[in-house]
C-alpha cells in the first residue's frame, strides 16, 4: 500500500477525532509528494466541486495505481480539524465519487488500501449526556479490478444510551411542559439518541417533539437535521431486515 499527500497535511497527523489521519500499514509506506503525483498523472479539482482552488487538498495513491483527490474546505479548531464541503474524486478520469455539503464534518483515514471518510456529529453521547463527536455514517473507497469502488453505511456500533439513560430522557419529555429553546433542542438530541438506541417510544416522542416544543430559526434547522439523521437510520435499518 502506498499513500501520498501534501506536505501541508503533515502537521495534522497528531490531531484527534474528526481530523484527517493518513495511516499506512508500515511507517515506510507513507511518502510526501507534490502534485502531480507522477508525470503521467495530472490531478486537479473537478470543475463541479465548489472549491476556490483547483489544486487538491490531498491525494491518495492506491497500491493498484488509481489516484483519488480530496477537494474542499478544512476547518481548524483548537485541537480538531474537520473536512466540510468537499469531494472525493478520481484523478484519471476526473469523476466526483461523492460530495459532502456544509452540514457534514468528517475525518479521513487511509489504511489497508482503503480511504475511509467518517461523517461525525456532535451529539450528547458522553457521560451525563455531555456532547462529543460520534461517527454516524462511514464511506469507504477501495480499488477493485482497476476501478475505485465506493460503499456507504451507517455506523452499526452506534448504540450510545443504556436502558437507564433512555428512561431518564423519556421521563423528561413526559413530565416537562415547556422548555427554553436552547434546552428543548438538547432534549431533542437526547431523544434522537434514545431512538437510535432501539427504543420505539423514544422515536415516537421525537416525532411529536415539534408539536410540544415549537422551534424557530436556527433551532428549527438543527431539529430538521436531526430528523434527517433518524430517517437515514430507519431507512437503513429497514433495508437490513
Amino acid at each position: 500500500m502506498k499513500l501520498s499527500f501534501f506536505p501541508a497535511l503533515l502537521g495534522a497527523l497528531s490531531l484527534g477525532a474528526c481530523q484527517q489521519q493518513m495511516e499506512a500499514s508500515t511507517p515506510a509506506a507513507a511518502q510526501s509528494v507534490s502534485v502531480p503525483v507522477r508525470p503521467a498523472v495530472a490531478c486537479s479539482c473537478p470543475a463541479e466541486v465548489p472549491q476556490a482552488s483547483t489544486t487538491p487538498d490531498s491525494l491518495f495513491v492506491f497500491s493498484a495505481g488509481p489516484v483519488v483527490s480530496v477537494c474542499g474546505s478544512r476547518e481548524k479548531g483548537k485541537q480538531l480539524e474537520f473536512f466540510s464541503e468537499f469531494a472525493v474524486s478520481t484523478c484519471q478520469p476526473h469523476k466526483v465519487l461523492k460530495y459532502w455539503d456544509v452540514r457534514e464534518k468528517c475525518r479521513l483515514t487511509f489504511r489497508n488500501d482503503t480511504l475511509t471518510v467518517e461523517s461525525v456529529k456532535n451529539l450528547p453521547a458522553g457521560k451525563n449526556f455531555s456532547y462529543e463527536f460520534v461517527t454516524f455514517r462511514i464511506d469507504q473507497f477501495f480499488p477493485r479490478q482497476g476501478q475505485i469502488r465506493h460503499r456507504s453505511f451507517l455506523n452499526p456500533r452506534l448504540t450510545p444510551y443504556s436502558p437507564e439513560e433512555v428512561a431518564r430522557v423519556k421521563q423528561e419529555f413526559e413530565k416537562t411542559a415547556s422548555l427554553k429553546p436552547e434546552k428543548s433542542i438538547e432534549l431533542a438530541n437526547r431523544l434522537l439518541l434514545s431512538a437510535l438506541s432501539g427504543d420505539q417510544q423514544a422515536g415516537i416522542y421525537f416525532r411529536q417533539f415539534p408539536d410540544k416544543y415549537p422551534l424557530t430559526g436556527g433551532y428549527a434547522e438543527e431539529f430538521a437535521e436531526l430528523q434527517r439523521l433518524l430517517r437515514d437510520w430507519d431507512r437503513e435499518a429497514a433495508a437490513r431486515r
Side-chain angles (χ1 to χ4, degrees):
M1 177 182 64
K2 180 169 61 176
L3 166 65
S4 301
F5 50 90
F6 285 116
L9 293 177
L10 291 174
L13 292 175
S14 61
L15 297 177
C18 300
Q19 66 188 16
Q20 183 173 11
Q21 303 172 12
M22 283 143 292
E23 304 176 32
S25 56
T26 60
Q31 301 177 17
S32 175
V33 300
S34 58
V35 176
V37 177
R38 52 182 179 269
V41 177
C43 197
S44 60
C45 293
E48 59 266 41
V49 177
Q51 155 80 358
S53 173
T54 59
T55 302
D57 185 277
S58 9
L59 295 175
F60 296 91
V61 183
F62 294 90
S63 60
V67 181
V68 298
S69 67
V70 174
C71 297
S73 302
R74 280 194 292 167
E75 303 175 12
K76 293 184 179 181
K78 292 182 179 179
Q79 295 181 331
L80 305 177
E81 184 175 70
F82 306 94
F83 274 77
S84 183
E85 293 186 277
F86 72 101
V88 171
S89 310
T90 55
C91 289
Q92 295 290 340
H94 278 138
K95 179 183 178 182
V96 176
L97 300 176
K98 183 168 180 177
Y99 175 73
W100 289 260
D101 63 24
V102 69
R103 297 173 298 180
E104 304 293 343
K105 294 182 183 293
C106 301
R107 67 177 180 183
L108 278 62
T109 59
F110 191 94
R111 186 185 295 118
N112 298 329
D113 220 21
T114 299
L115 173 61
T116 300
V117 180
E118 295 184 1
S119 299
V120 298
K121 305 297 178 184
N122 193 21
L123 296 170
K127 186 177 181 180
N128 295 322
F129 304 125
S130 60
Y131 278 76
E132 61 183 31
F133 288 104
V134 175
T135 298
F136 193 81
R137 177 171 290 279
I138 300 170
D139 289 88
Q140 293 182 323
F141 303 87
F142 51 93
R144 285 291 185 276
Q145 299 178 339
Q147 303 292 321
I148 299 298
R149 305 299 183 187
H150 172 218
R151 62 186 172 205
S152 180
F153 53 93
L154 296 178
N155 182 6
R157 299 179 181 178
L158 181 60
T159 52
Y161 284 174
S162 66
E164 293 76 18
E165 289 171 323
V166 170
R168 286 173 56 191
V169 173
K170 291 193 297 183
Q171 186 178 54
E172 182 178 0
F173 178 85
E174 292 163 352
K175 294 188 174 182
T176 306
S178 62
L179 286 170
K180 293 182 179 180
E182 62 272 19
K183 294 298 182 181
S184 64
I185 196 63
E186 291 179 1
L187 177 56
N189 275 268
R190 294 195 291 272
L191 277 172
L192 170 68
L193 290 185
S194 297
L196 298 187
S197 298
D199 192 276
Q200 294 184 354
Q201 187 62 50
I204 293 172
Y205 286 166
F206 178 83
R207 293 177 178 89
Q208 295 173 345
F209 194 89
D211 296 327
K212 186 172 183 179
Y213 306 106
L215 296 168
T216 59
Y219 295 114
E221 293 176 4
E222 182 175 347
F223 186 77
E225 174 64 9
L226 298 180
Q227 289 177 308
R228 182 180 71 88
L229 297 181
L230 184 57
R231 285 195 301 269
D232 287 350
W233 186 270
D234 288 345
R235 187 182 303 115
E236 193 151 315
R240 290 196 297 264
R241 296 191 188 107

